């Protein structure tokens, strides 16, 4: 049976795989709206691409929550509770990814095959994704459940009780930085590129300023996410210390503050461009910001507060019970 620390590392690596797939679609979704021929798409397709972008940002926010939860709630410790959190957060992300893929296929198919062909392609793509990401897993989960349960029953229950080694803590925090970084990179690439696009010149001055501020915020987030690597090499000389773990944890958490603001700012820009409505753009940006801060800070801090206020369990008596 795999050790708890290995299960958690595998879970973080799996989240990184999902992030890498999501980042490509996020970058494509943002940039597509500024392409010269985007206005030629049917209004339905334009709005669907906004929905697509929203679903992908929701997926990204859920996956990043893993890092925030591990840093804030568990303080970098490997616990069975965090392992359950990984599964609980990753499972729902597969649905918006599948729907987003279907929307992209519909828009591409409609351009080439017409509305009916695009609809068939989009539904088919989303269906295949759902079958492979949900259906196959459900069938196999029930098939192998008895064997997995037997392995868990045979595993050493004390492995979940020990303190996490510093080498594992550092490996996890660096992996969590790599989970967040691709999303920031995807947004950053879009932000730099569109400044040279014709559609950007046509934006209102206020949208240009919001985009510039968002660009600066995402640059700051990216620098913060790269800082632990430089610090580990230069200051710690590659040594694994508790000081570095605390430093890296704080920097990773700090990077989420400007990242959420940058995401929300550019979501405002694209919603205003597509819908032509400032109130709708402000609403979308506010929802994005509240969702990100709620998932990354609100829920973890609330859970940590409950754990802190919970009275400790009384120690077990070492004396045998009298008959």
């Amino acid at each position: 049976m795999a050790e708890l620390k290995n299960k958690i590392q595998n879970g973080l690596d799996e989240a990184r795989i999902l992030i890498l797939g999501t980042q490509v679609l996020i970058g494509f979704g943002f940039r597509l709206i500024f392409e010269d021929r985007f206005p030629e798409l049917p209004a339905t397709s334009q709005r669907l691409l906004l929905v697509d972008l929203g679903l992908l940002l929701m997926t990204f926010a859920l996956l990043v929550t893993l890092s925030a939860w591990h840093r804030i709630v568990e303080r970098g410790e490997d616990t069975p509770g965090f392992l359950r959190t990984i599964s609980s957060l990753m499972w729902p992300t597969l649905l918006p990814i599948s729907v987003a893929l279907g929307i992209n296929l519909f828009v591409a198919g409609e351009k080439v095959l017409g509305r009916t062909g695009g609809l068939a392609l989009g539904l088919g793509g989303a269906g295949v994704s759902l079958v492979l990401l949900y259906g196959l897993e459900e069938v196999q989960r029930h098939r192998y459940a008895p064997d997995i349960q037997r392995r868990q029953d045979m595993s050493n229950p004390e492995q979940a009780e020990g303190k996490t080694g510093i080498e594992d803590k550092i490996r996890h925090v660096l992996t969590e930085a790599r989970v967040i970084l691709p999303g920031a990179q995807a947004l950053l690439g879009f932000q730099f590129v569109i400044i040279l696009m014709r559609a950007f010149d046509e934006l209102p001055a206020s949208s240009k300023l919001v985009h510039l501020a968002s660009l600066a915020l995402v640059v700051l987030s990216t620098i913060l996410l790269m800082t632990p690597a430089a610090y580990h090499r230069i200051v710690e000389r590659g040594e694994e210390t508790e000081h570095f773990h605390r430093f890296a944890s704080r920097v990773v958490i700090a990077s989420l503050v400007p990242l959420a603001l940058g995401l929300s700012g550019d979501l405002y820009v694209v919603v205003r461009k597509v819908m032509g409505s400032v109130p709708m753009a402000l609403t979308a940006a506010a929802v994005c910001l509240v969702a990100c801060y709620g998932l990354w800070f609100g829920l973890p801090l609330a859970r940590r507060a409950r754990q802190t206020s919970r009275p400790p369990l009384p120690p077990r008596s070492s004396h045998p019970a009298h008959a």
Side-chain angles (χ1 to χ4, degrees), residues 19-67:
I19 280 279
L20 290 173
T22 303
Q23 71 154 349
V24 175
L25 296 174
I26 289 176
F28 172 74
F30 271 116
R31 175 168 177 165
L32 183 63
I33 293 172
F34 284 85
E35 291 291 341
D36 291 341
R37 301 192 66 180
F38 179 80
E40 299 176 11
L41 291 175
T44 303
S45 294
Q46 294 183 23
R47 285 160 175 74
L48 279 175
L49 287 172
L50 270 185
V51 173
D52 168 86
L53 186 58
L55 290 171
L56 293 171
L57 291 177
M58 179 176 68
T59 300
F60 175 73
L62 285 170
L63 291 171
V64 169
T65 303
L66 294 175
S67 300

Side-chain angles (χ1 to χ4, degrees), residues 249-280:
S249 296
R250 291 166 183 166
V251 171
V252 168
I253 290 299
S255 72
L256 299 179
V257 176
L259 181 58
L261 289 168
L263 282 172
S264 303
D266 265 322
L267 185 61
Y268 165 87
V269 173
V270 298
V271 171
R272 183 179 180 184
K273 181 181 184 302
V274 175
M275 304 303 297
S277 169
V278 172
M280 289 184 66

